Amino acid sequence: MAKHDQNGVGPRDRKVKILATVGPASSSPEMLRKLFLAGADAFRVNMSHGDHETHGKTIAAIRAMEKEFQRPIAILCDLQGPKLRVGTFKDGQAVIRHSGHFTLDRNPEPGDENRVELPHPELFGLLEKGQRLLINDGKIRLKVIRADDDAILCSAEVGGVISDRKGVNVPDAEVPIPALTEKDRKDLSFAVQQGADWIGLSFVQRPEDLAEARKLMGGYGALCAKIEKPMAVRRLSEILEMSDGLMVARGDLGVELEPQEVPPLQKKIVNVARTAGKPVIVATQMLESMIESPMPTRAEVSDVANAVYDGADAVMLSAESAAGDWPEESVTMMDKIAGQVERDEGYKARVRFLDTPPDATTSDALAHSCMTIADTVPISAITVFTSSGSTARRVARERPDTPMLVLTPSMRTARRVALLWGAHAVPTKDIGSFEEMIAKGKRMALRHRFGQAGSKMIALAGVPFGTPGSTNLLHVVTLQGDELEKHKG
């Protein structure tokens, strides 16, 4: 369970983070506060819905809460991305006959049971016989018979009711559309101005898709690639290299793939990100039934538990916290599930089942040493001094059993780290000497309840101080009861 301490300085009792989506059910300062106290470590602002004025108020409320509880909180602004949609129908909808023919064309006139406009010229001439088109989250499944520059003739493998502007998924082809629409560019500019810590990029297909977003971000914030297209899975390692983290976006991924393909793929994406030492979020339908019910299904509880056992950095709530009837209860339930899993005596072995050998660098060797020391000697905290957050990511990659206290002079780094497994970030003044590092490390560990008198602490840092990527110092110290009084300020 999270420690609902009114001054907000106490660490959570779990290492996996909870990312809660904000929406109509949770955008008020009062409800945001309740979600934080229930266990939310970060908040997702979905740019697909709402306007900039509404989002600006939400972000301001989160930052005010951050000051109240003295805890850095990550904000992820999730871009809508290029969504393919059909046109409109004469009666607002039509019925596609099962096993019948249906045509998608470039005619802007309203459609009927035989045809409808597909206002995306880039798809014509691209699709080939046998490829699939999935409409309305896969409820309607079409197979291409013939495609030319003006029309795509399909047979309906699964028919049904189709209505205006329903979404279209094209799982079998790499669609030549940019990852950012004009709306996305405006939303991204707004998110950067608002100081968003993470940007979620939707419908990534290729590593090049990340380049424009990275350029527009201008060095602000971290970039999370949402993996929701089969094409992205095929180039996963390249996409990971270009991003700061990954999201297993199981909504569209589950539409474009067969349902049974998603669980092993989820594990693959989590493992690839963990091996690289980059945060990975598991998202969509985690506690879906809690949109309407105060209790989840047993299957949903197992789903969340499996993501925690796999070592995901964060688990995400979507409509459950954004638009559901039980937003606070959803966060509380996710917190309870995660806490129960992490108290399981088999959790440590399960979460380390993935081998994450250190790279041949001093920084990685020392991060690995933190884990082995903490496994051998009772250690109350691994205190990491970092300016960029890279040292914290290296330690988190090892999934140590010991809590990690991240001390950084950068509030931007502290907020970004709020999505990192096992990390409790505290912004603090920079240090200038070894003695100052040890004194501050002891003081912060005691103040933030990462130990008590007699506890041992690992201090990890780089000399010279303030130089990113220079981790080269590991020191084990014993906390003294008078440290808090001796080193005020």
Side-chain angles (χ1 to χ4, degrees):
M1 293 288 290
K3 290 179 182 174
H4 298 170
D5 193 74
Q6 288 303 304
N7 62 17
V9 296
R12 302 285 194 198
D13 282 341
R14 56 174 158 75
K15 297 183 173 67
V16 68
K17 301 303 179 73
I18 294 175
L19 173 61
T21 301
V22 182
S26 55
S27 58
S28 71
E30 295 77 20
M31 183 55 76
L32 287 170
R33 196 173 186 276
K34 287 180 180 179
L35 297 190
F36 172 81
L37 290 173
D41 302 287
F43 292 93
R44 170 178 172 254
V45 177
N46 187 356
M47 307 304 288
S48 299
H49 306 291
D51 54 33
H52 287 179
E53 182 181 358
T54 302
H55 295 324
K57 290 178 180 177
T58 296
I59 292 170
I62 294 169
R63 293 304 186 216
M65 184 169 62
E66 186 179 60
K67 288 182 180 179
E68 177 188 356
F69 289 102
Q70 304 170 44
R71 184 199 297 273
I73 300 172
I75 295 175
L76 184 149
C77 284
D78 198 340
L79 304 181
Q80 177 175 294
K83 189 75 173 177
L84 304 175
R85 299 183 185 278
V86 299
T88 60
F89 291 86
K90 291 175 185 175
D91 299 318
Q93 64 178 38
V95 178
I96 298 177
R97 298 184 309 278
H98 182 67
S99 299
H101 285 183
F102 190 78
T103 300
L104 300 156
D105 58 36
R106 301 178 67 174
N107 180 357
E109 293 181 7
D112 53 30
E113 68 274 7
N114 298 310
R115 59 152 295 276
V116 74
E117 179 192 14
L118 183 62
H120 301 283
E122 59 274 6
L123 290 177
F124 294 87
L126 169 73
L127 296 176
E128 300 176 356
K129 182 179 179 180
Q131 291 183 330
R132 295 166 296 159
L133 288 163
L134 311 176
I135 301 174
N136 192 15
D137 292 334
K139 294 181 177 67
I140 294 174
R141 304 172 72 89
L142 307 178
K143 182 170 280 190
V144 176
I145 297 174
R146 183 180 67 252
D148 56 35
D149 292 339
D150 297 308
I152 303 168
L153 176 64
C154 303
S155 63
E157 290 188 325
V158 179
V161 177
I162 181 173
S163 55
D164 294 348
R165 308 193 190 285
K166 286 300 181 185
V168 179
N169 291 82
V170 187
D172 303 325
E174 184 175 308
V175 183
I177 55 176
L180 291 173
T181 64
E182 189 56 39
K183 169 180 165 53
D184 292 329
R185 293 187 188 93
K186 291 177 181 177
D187 288 343
L188 177 53
S189 176
F190 167 81
V192 169
Q193 289 170 7
Q194 291 288 314
D197 309 297
W198 285 86
I199 300 295
L201 191 61
S202 299
F203 301 113
V204 174
Q205 296 187 92
R206 55 189 86 83
E208 294 81 8
D209 289 343
L210 299 161
E212 184 183 1
R214 182 75 78 185
K215 182 178 179 182
L216 292 173
M217 288 166 69
Y220 290 91
L223 187 56
C224 179
K226 295 171 64 180
I227 307 301
E228 50 196 330
K229 303 280 290 181
M231 294 298 158
V233 176
R234 296 173 196 175
R235 304 186 69 178
L236 187 59
S237 59
E238 298 170 81
I239 289 170
L240 179 60
E241 189 173 340
M242 292 286 290
S243 65
D244 299 302
L246 298 179
M247 180 187 291
V248 190
R250 304 183 305 178
D252 278 86
L253 197 59
V255 170
E256 301 208 0
L257 294 169
E258 295 298 327
Q260 68 274 12
E261 294 180 278
V262 177
L265 190 54
Q266 173 179 315
K267 290 184 182 294
K268 176 183 177 181
I269 297 168
V270 169
N271 288 352
V272 167
R274 280 191 55 190
T275 301
K278 293 185 178 182
V280 56
I281 304 161
V282 176
T284 318
Q285 295 181 336
M286 300 214 80
L287 295 175
E288 185 84 353
S289 66
M290 289 194 75
I291 295 172
E292 298 177 345
S293 168
M295 290 296 291
T297 66
R298 303 300 178 267
E300 289 167 342
V301 172
S302 293
D303 180 41
V304 174
N306 277 322
V308 178
Y309 276 119
D310 287 342
D313 289 82
V315 284
M316 190 180 101
L317 293 165
S318 300
E320 302 97 323
S321 60
D325 296 333
W326 308 93
E328 183 182 0
E329 290 79 2
S330 297
V331 175
T332 299
M333 179 55 64
M334 192 164 264
D335 180 71
K336 286 180 178 179
I337 297 166
Q340 188 74 42
V341 168
E342 293 186 11
R343 288 190 295 273
D344 175 16
E345 60 183 17
Y347 170 72
K348 181 176 172 181
R350 285 280 302 276
V351 82
R352 290 193 195 166
F353 184 76
L354 176 70
D355 187 24
T356 53
D359 297 335
T361 65
T362 302
S363 300
D364 269 27
L366 290 177
H368 182 73
S369 297
C370 286
M371 182 188 70
T372 56
I373 291 170
D375 284 348
T376 307
V377 180
I379 297 289
S380 66
I382 299 171
T383 301
V384 177
F385 294 83
T386 180
S387 55
S388 67
S390 62
T391 304
R393 289 194 298 275
R394 285 188 174 96
V395 173
R397 183 172 74 163
E398 303 293 333
R399 297 298 190 254
D401 198 35
T402 302
M404 176 168 53
L405 173 62
V406 180
L407 302 180
T408 177
S410 167
M411 178 57 94
R412 286 167 57 186
T413 296
R415 288 169 173 163
R416 186 186 300 189
V417 162
L419 271 178
L420 187 65
W421 188 95
H424 178 90
V426 175
T428 183
K429 292 178 183 177
D430 209 352
I431 49 176
S433 68
F434 175 80
E435 292 77 12
E436 187 182 353
M437 177 193 80
I438 297 303
K440 176 164 283 190
K442 288 180 176 182
R443 184 170 73 251
M444 290 298 179
L446 288 166
R447 179 180 296 173
H448 294 274
R449 301 177 209 160
F450 279 82
Q452 54 193 355
S455 300
K456 284 186 168 58
M457 175 193 86
I458 294 174
L460 187 65
V463 178
F465 297 108
T467 305
S470 66
T471 306
N472 57 8
L473 186 153
L474 186 155
H475 196 66
V476 180
V477 297
T478 301
L479 302 179
Q480 305 295 331
D482 59 350
E483 294 288 347
L484 206 51
E485 292 300 320
K486 274 169 55 181
H487 303 284
K488 287 287 186 183

